[in-house]
Amino acid sequence: MKRGDISFWLTRPGAPAPPSTRTLAQDIDCDVAIVGGGLSGLWVAWALAQQNPSLSVVVLEAERLGFGASGRNGGWMSAKQVGVRRALARGAGGTQAVTQMQDRLEQACTEVVDILGADEIDARHGGWTQLARTKNELRRAENYVAEARRWNVDESSMRLMSAEEAYERIHAQGLMGAIHSPHNYCVDPVKMVFRLASLAMEAGATVYTGARVTGIEPGRLRVGRHRVNARQVVVATEGYTASQPGQRRRMLPLNSSMLVTEPLTPQQWERVGWEHHDGVSATAHTYFHSERTPDGRIAIGGRGRPYRFGSRTDRNGVVDEATVKSLMRVIDDLFPGLGAEPAHAWCGVIGVTRDWSPFLDYDSSAQLLRMGGYAGQGLTASYLAGLAAADLLTGRKSFLSTSAWVRPVPRRWEPEPLRWVGANGFYLAYSLADRLEAASRSDKTSVIARIADKIAAR
Ligand SMILES: Cc1cc2nc3c(=O)[nH]c(=O)nc-3n(C[C@H](O)[C@H](O)[C@H](O)COP(=O)(O)OP(=O)(O)OC[C@H]3O[C@@H](n4cnc5c(N)ncnc54)[C@H](O)[C@@H]3O)c2cc1C
């Protein structure tokens, strides 16, 4: 099996070819320079070009298209809550701004498919189904839905399913119930980035790859020997932000791993019974998310080594054997005796702010905008953030430019070694809580998990 090599989506046989991009070979001037060519940066470029085609917009990507989380993710494009509602409700718009953003996310899923084209990004609609397989998980699923109702999420957006109904959607072992929402498409992440880059370029933006920005100042970027002079600068580097001067403790690069199996046989699929295109996940504290790929594999994500000391990031997504085993154990536990074989595993980083919630932080005097912090929910969120960024940069007052996500970057993470101990300690605490809950007869969430939630401010 293959480990690393960025991701299965990017390097599998028959993977799509990237659209052609430029190499920066001289100093340039532009209206807007965007650092980071993932979904966030590309959506900003696309949205600016839609609003004002006469603007010169440049995207600077350090590596290649799809190198970051945008080319490595699990392919869920959902309207799941992005960020922590309580944290976002502290902004000027209060709770109403949070519930409005929730509704906007639901529309956004369909808008993205309409813009990019379902066939171009392999978008398959099925919703998401979050399985509950212990008493504690069922109780937590009920609480999760009850909490969502308090934030105006109604039955048509999210509901509980009985064990029987959940089993009809997927034949996982030990089902006690599930949460289901119709608001999710499973997509091919790399097709999505490539398609968006093509549309942004067709609309007039210029995308440079192999263009690592080594200096960021208002109005001026350095890319190796060259200068990019820009009226406005956007920084959309998500999980890679910590390597920039002064940003080390702003966003935690949290590691997230993925694995795809070899294609399953028709008999194996019959056993699994996953006929809808649902994204399937768990209510366990150590979360997993999964999808059925168009070529008949299970793609599953979660687990892995959560955090590298000093906010370092991986190189090319290499994962260790323990991560492969732990993801395969999840599949074996869901479908005992299935006999699925691992084909490719990799990892990437998501950007997590101290309050686990997204931000668009615009300094209008410096004409510098920083954005991100989707904490692993960026496929739909990056689209709305991109639209919001374009409105902020062009001075257009809109629902998005005044939304709950438009706020200063939250307070910093703790210095090392506290950051390392905390991030890895939480993961251990949640794994232990899952084990204790599985062994207990109670339906109460373990005290360890409750303390961890409180400390993490989740
Ligand atoms: C394994 C995994 C699974 C995930 N699964 C899901 C999922 O199923 N659903 C979902 O909604 N979200 C998921 N996510 C999160 C989602 O992929 C991200 O939220 C989203 O892609 C963020 O996009 P971005 O453009 O902000 O960041 P990225 O895609 O990380 O892009 C940032 C880019 O900036 C570039 N860069 C960094 N520094 C510089 C520099 N100095 N100069 C120039 N360029 C630079 C990087 O090379 C990178 O390409 C997952 C993430 C991972 C890692």
Side-chain angles (χ1 to χ4, degrees):
M1 72 161 291
K2 202 157 151 190
R3 280 197 254 149
D5 205 11
I6 307 182
S7 77
F8 170 76
W9 319 114
L10 197 65
T11 54
R12 70 190 154 91
S20 49
T21 52
R22 298 243 195 120
T23 304
L24 190 71
Q26 59 185 41
D27 294 354
I28 53 167
D29 296 333
C30 59
D31 289 314
V32 185
I34 301 163
V35 188
L39 289 172
S40 295
L42 293 167
W43 276 122
V44 179
W46 176 86
L48 282 170
Q50 302 300 311
Q51 270 194 35
N52 184 353
S54 69
L55 283 177
S56 56
V57 179
V58 157
V59 178
L60 300 156
E61 165 54 44
E63 303 275 348
R64 56 199 274 198
L65 290 175
F67 175 82
S70 301
R72 307 188 192 199
N73 61 69
W76 278 40
M77 191 174 66
S78 78
K80 268 198 135 178
Q81 171 61 27
V82 182
V84 176
R85 293 184 180 104
R86 284 187 319 277
L88 291 169
R90 285 186 204 114
T95 54
Q96 198 188 6
V98 176
T99 55
Q100 284 173 339
M101 206 55 186
Q102 175 65 46
D103 295 343
R104 189 68 190 81
L105 270 165
E106 292 181 3
Q107 298 162 19
C109 298
T110 325
E111 283 170 26
V112 172
V113 174
D114 288 346
I115 294 166
L116 301 182
D119 291 345
E120 275 80 1
I121 61 170
D122 281 351
R124 288 144 285 140
H125 183 248
W128 56 261
T129 299
Q130 182 171 315
L131 311 177
R133 298 168 63 226
T134 64
K135 272 197 210 164
N136 318 70
E137 289 179 17
L138 186 58
R139 166 73 83 93
R140 255 199 320 282
E142 289 161 359
N143 291 345
Y144 184 90
V145 173
E147 174 67 5
R149 294 280 181 273
R150 284 192 277 279
W151 292 87
N152 275 357
V153 178
D154 66 21
E155 185 85 9
S156 69
S157 289
M158 188 194 292
R159 67 185 177 88
L160 285 166
M161 274 181 168
S162 65
E164 293 71 31
E165 216 183 335
Y167 188 82
E168 269 173 34
R169 292 190 91 86
I170 188 157
H171 298 349
Q173 173 190 241
L175 286 174
M176 298 191 82
I179 309 172
H180 179 76
S181 164
H183 299 298
N184 184 48
Y185 290 83
C186 288
V187 301
D188 181 312
V190 161
K191 288 188 178 176
M192 185 168 176
V193 186
F194 288 0
R195 173 76 173 148
L196 175 57
S198 301
L199 291 186
M201 289 190 281
E202 273 166 39
T206 308
V207 178
Y208 292 94
T209 47
R212 179 171 301 280
V213 176
T214 48
I216 301 176
E217 284 172 46
R220 199 160 62 173
L221 302 174
R222 180 157 287 285
V223 181
R225 288 182 293 115
H226 302 297
R227 266 196 191 168
V228 176
N229 299 309
R231 213 166 40 77
Q232 294 175 308
V233 169
V234 177
V235 184
T237 45
E238 191 65 343
Y240 301 93
T241 306
S243 62
Q244 294 158 21
Q247 301 297 315
R248 184 160 294 273
R249 287 163 51 199
R250 286 292 185 202
M251 266 208 272
L252 191 85
L254 210 56
N255 193 57
S256 188
S257 302
M258 287 286 311
L259 176 147
V260 294
T261 63
E262 295 291 353
L264 266 53
T265 62
Q267 293 74 24
Q268 284 173 313
W269 276 119
E270 202 175 317
R271 155 77 187 84
V272 169
W274 194 344
E275 276 166 24
H276 305 269
H277 296 292
D278 292 15
V280 173
S281 67
T283 315
H285 300 292
T286 45
Y287 183 79
F288 78 81
H289 53 95
S290 59
E291 69 154 286
R292 177 180 175 157
T293 67
D295 64 346
R297 303 164 191 263
I298 295 176
I300 185 162
R303 319 276 160 148
R305 183 153 55 128
Y307 172 73
R308 292 177 167 83
F309 193 85
S311 292
R312 280 181 294 117
T313 53
D314 62 273
R315 192 70 211 157
N316 289 339
V318 175
V319 292
D320 57 16
E321 187 58 30
T323 302
V324 174
K325 283 197 172 135
S326 106
L327 287 167
M328 285 306 296
R329 261 200 308 275
V330 178
I331 297 178
D332 290 343
D333 187 45
L334 290 166
F335 314 110
L338 181 67
E341 291 294 335
H344 190 160
W346 67 95
C347 66
V349 281
I350 59 175
V352 183
T353 59
R354 189 61 186 85
D355 66 5
W356 291 80
S357 303
F359 65 91
L360 287 125
D361 185 350
Y362 182 42
D363 179 344
S364 57
S365 56
Q367 297 281 299
L368 182 80
L369 188 150
R370 288 187 170 271
M371 60 192 292
Y374 320 115
Q377 301 282 348
L379 260 67
T380 317
S382 58
Y383 163 67
L384 291 184
L387 297 185
D391 288 347
L392 288 166
L393 294 165
T394 55
R396 190 160 94 166
K397 211 166 160 58
S398 67
F399 165 72
L400 287 171
S401 71
T402 54
S403 71
W405 295 4
V406 178
R407 63 191 192 117
V409 187
R411 75 183 167 92
R412 291 168 194 268
W413 284 92
E414 288 71 7
E416 296 290 23
L418 274 183
R419 215 158 63 241
W420 184 86
V421 171
N424 292 300
F426 284 126
Y427 180 73
L428 282 179
Y430 286 129
S431 308
L432 179 62
D434 278 333
R435 282 208 296 277
L436 290 175
E437 287 178 12
S440 108
R441 285 164 188 237
S442 152
D443 64 356
K444 292 217 170 66
T445 289
S446 134
V447 71
I448 295 176
R450 277 186 279 145
I451 293 171
D453 280 348
K454 274 244 152 38
I455 298 173
R458 290 174 74 180

